[in-house]
Amino acid sequence: MRSRKVRDGFEVTGFTGPVCPLVYLSPEGRPELVSADSGRLLRWDVDSGRLAAYFQVPENAANDVLEIKSLVLPDGLVRIAAGDEFGFCLWDGESGLLLSDAVGGDRIYQVAAGVLNDGRALFVGAGVEGVHLWEPVGGRLLSSPLQHLGDVVAVALASLTDGRSLLVTGDYEGVRRWQGEFCEATFGAGIEAPHIDMLTTANLENGRTLIVGVVEEGEAVCCWDAETGQEVRPPISMEGEFVRIAVASVSGRMRLFAAGDEVVRQWDLLSGEPVEEALPGSYVSAVSLPDGSALLATGTRDGKLTTRRLS
């Protein structure tokens, strides 16, 4: 693999196939970057673009690209997690040590992470058998899979203005919200939306949280208020059947990044207006930085990883 400086970031080429990036903030507030390609995880130095560490690979690592998520625990530990056809995998974010492998024995479509209002840190996953919950220190299952009304394929965690936490799930009929110690009780009415493919959440500066979802097999991205379930604005039309999304704040405005058809496009999340130029990529990750800028990372199907700082 070869790394070189590009505009406001760096570019790495030479991956053997698709590459999925993950950017997040360390316990000290520094941006970190991990890439996943063909069952392999690598950590990169964000400033230089140099390879910093290899993660331990599961024995049954699939050739599929893992879509990874990060979680910084209240005590400063960092966890990286992913789901695959065998179950839930968990790594220590600093050492790259594999802490648990194939937990749950279920195919996991999407993983989400967060710290609930009662202080509990949690990973959740959408699986064939239902919704799974894991504790993030060692990856232990917290309960039996939560039975879902439909085939759950997407999950996210959201917070309300009063501090309560919600689990948000997506299926082929729409979005559902859950609360309770193990997210077992419904919250509000279901949000009708055709064929949810992916979910994430956006926390606004006024304390309001939005649910952002890819619908209709990648035809559009919708945005709902997490508390009321009301649609915030008309859907944004997308291009491509495989669409991945990320959100981050740039200069005080929440921005949507959507990757589809090898192109990453940007919009103002609240207004739906297009922002700046398009970038190459089929996978995307973004994180808000303390100085008001954002770090964007994109990955292509032909093996290129790129970062860019946006301000």
Side-chain angles (χ1 to χ4, degrees), residues 141-196:
L141 274 168
L142 293 176
S143 67
S144 300
L146 305 177
Q147 297 303 305
H148 201 266
L149 299 178
D151 295 328
V152 56
V153 295
V155 292
L157 289 169
S159 57
L160 303 181
T161 53
D162 61 6
R164 285 180 296 168
S165 302
L166 294 181
L167 171 65
V168 183
T169 60
D171 55 43
Y172 297 126
E173 296 181 356
V175 177
R176 308 176 197 274
R177 294 163 291 164
W178 310 83
Q179 62 180 346
E181 182 179 3
F182 291 105
C183 308
E184 70 281 359
T186 58
F187 176 86
I191 301 171
E192 293 187 8
H195 201 298
I196 299 294

Side-chain angles (χ1 to χ4, degrees), residues 49-225:
R50 295 190 181 95
L51 180 61
Y54 287 85
F55 279 55
Q56 184 180 357
V57 179
E59 291 183 3
N60 59 356
N63 289 325
D64 294 338
V65 175
L66 298 174
E67 295 193 43
I68 48 181
K69 294 293 175 67
S70 63
L71 179 62
V72 176
L73 305 185
D75 60 4
L77 292 175
V78 179
R79 293 292 183 260
I80 306 295
D84 63 14
E85 60 184 303
F86 303 107
F88 176 75
C89 298
L90 184 70
W91 291 266
D92 178 84
E94 293 297 321
S95 67
L97 179 67
L98 180 66
L99 301 174
S100 62
D101 180 16
V103 177
D106 187 14
R107 181 182 182 89
I108 304 300
Y109 296 111
Q110 187 182 358
V111 172
V115 178
L116 305 184
N117 61 295
D118 60 5
R120 288 184 301 149
L122 187 70
F123 278 106
V124 297
V128 174
E129 297 178 4
V131 180
H132 300 261
L133 290 79
W134 302 277
E135 59 82 19
V137 176
R140 177 177 56 86
L141 274 168
L142 293 176
S143 67
S144 300
L146 305 177
Q147 297 303 305
H148 201 266
L149 299 178
D151 295 328
V152 56
V153 295
V155 292
L157 289 169
S159 57
L160 303 181
T161 53
D162 61 6
R164 285 180 296 168
S165 302
L166 294 181
L167 171 65
V168 183
T169 60
D171 55 43
Y172 297 126
E173 296 181 356
V175 177
R176 308 176 197 274
R177 294 163 291 164
W178 310 83
Q179 62 180 346
E181 182 179 3
F182 291 105
C183 308
E184 70 281 359
T186 58
F187 176 86
I191 301 171
E192 293 187 8
H195 201 298
I196 299 294
D197 288 333
M198 182 181 180
L199 289 172
T200 190
T201 56
N203 300 315
L204 306 184
E205 291 184 351
N206 61 4
R208 185 185 184 194
T209 300
L210 305 182
I211 301 168
V212 188
V214 180
V215 305
E216 283 282 21
E217 298 182 328
E219 289 187 6
V221 171
C222 294
C223 191
W224 304 275
D225 185 285

